[in-house]
């Protein structure tokens, strides 16, 4: 079983994606491959989008290289071409760039305070901090 921190590892470098596209990607990261109708159904509880809107978002994500699809009869099956981890990393790098010098520590503290990490994830973060600070291997 993989932790949430390990789960999202695979290249390539992701394109920037909008908030709406994140919603679509989240569904596909959890349950791919899916049809446009499946994605629409999965999003229907939290988004009041038409099937056409979902198809537009899927097309944008395909053009950006964030998704792949295969023919399945008269429909397409969509799957992510980038991992959630790589998209989170890219978004994090962009946030750090926009926040500017000196923002790293306050941002990290904010994320840790706002997150719901379990004990195993906290151990992984402690180990990472130890490695980065020259502490334990």
């Amino acid at each position: 079983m993989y932790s949430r921190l390990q789960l999202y590892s695979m290249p390539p470098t992701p394109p920037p994606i909008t908030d709406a596209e994140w919603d679509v990607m989240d569904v596909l990261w959890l349950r791919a491959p899916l049809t446009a109708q499946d994605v629409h159904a999965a999003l229907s509880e939290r988004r009041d989008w038409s099937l056409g809107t979902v198809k537009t978002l899927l097309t944008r994500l395909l053009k950006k290289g964030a998704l792949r699809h295969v023919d399945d009869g008269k429909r397409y099956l969509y799957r992510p071409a980038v991992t959630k981890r790589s998209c989170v990393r890219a978004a994090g790098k962009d946030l750090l760039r926009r926040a500017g010098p000196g923002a790293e520590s306050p941002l990290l503290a904010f994320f840790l305070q706002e997150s719901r990490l379990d004990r195993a994830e906290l151990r992984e973060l402690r180990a990472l901090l130890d490695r980065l600070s020259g502490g334990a291997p």
Side-chain angles (χ1 to χ4, degrees):
M1 182 88 180
Y2 294 103
S3 73
R4 281 192 283 169
L5 294 175
Q6 295 169 322
L7 184 61
Y8 310 113
S9 56
M10 77 179 174
T13 303
I17 56 177
T18 66
D19 289 347
E21 292 166 347
W22 270 98
D23 286 346
V24 171
M25 293 298 293
D26 275 336
V27 168
L28 289 162
W29 282 318
L30 288 173
R31 300 183 228 164
L34 295 174
T35 65
Q37 291 80 4
D38 296 332
V39 174
H40 178 254
L43 288 168
S44 66
E45 291 180 20
R46 56 188 159 151
R47 292 289 201 159
D48 187 26
W49 289 339
S50 69
L51 178 58
T53 298
V54 171
K55 286 182 177 182
T56 297
L57 290 167
L58 290 167
T59 300
R60 279 192 215 160
L61 289 162
L62 281 167
K63 287 179 181 176
K64 289 180 176 187
L67 291 181
R68 293 188 182 116
H69 72 283
V70 294
D71 291 336
D72 184 43
K74 294 183 179 184
R75 59 189 186 165
Y76 294 122
L77 289 174
Y78 298 91
R79 72 174 57 248
V82 294
T83 63
K84 186 168 186 173
R85 178 183 175 101
S86 64
C87 289
V88 168
R89 288 179 59 90
K93 285 181 180 183
D94 184 56
L95 178 58
L96 284 172
R97 180 191 56 76
R98 287 184 286 125
E104 296 88 348
S105 182
L107 281 172
L108 181 57
F110 170 77
F111 286 127
L112 289 172
Q113 290 167 351
E114 292 295 316
S115 66
R116 295 184 191 125
L117 299 174
D118 63 29
R119 289 183 188 275
E121 291 166 326
L122 288 171
R123 277 193 302 274
E124 285 182 54
L125 287 173
R126 280 189 194 101
L128 175 61
L129 288 171
D130 285 344
R131 281 193 308 275
L132 292 173
S133 66

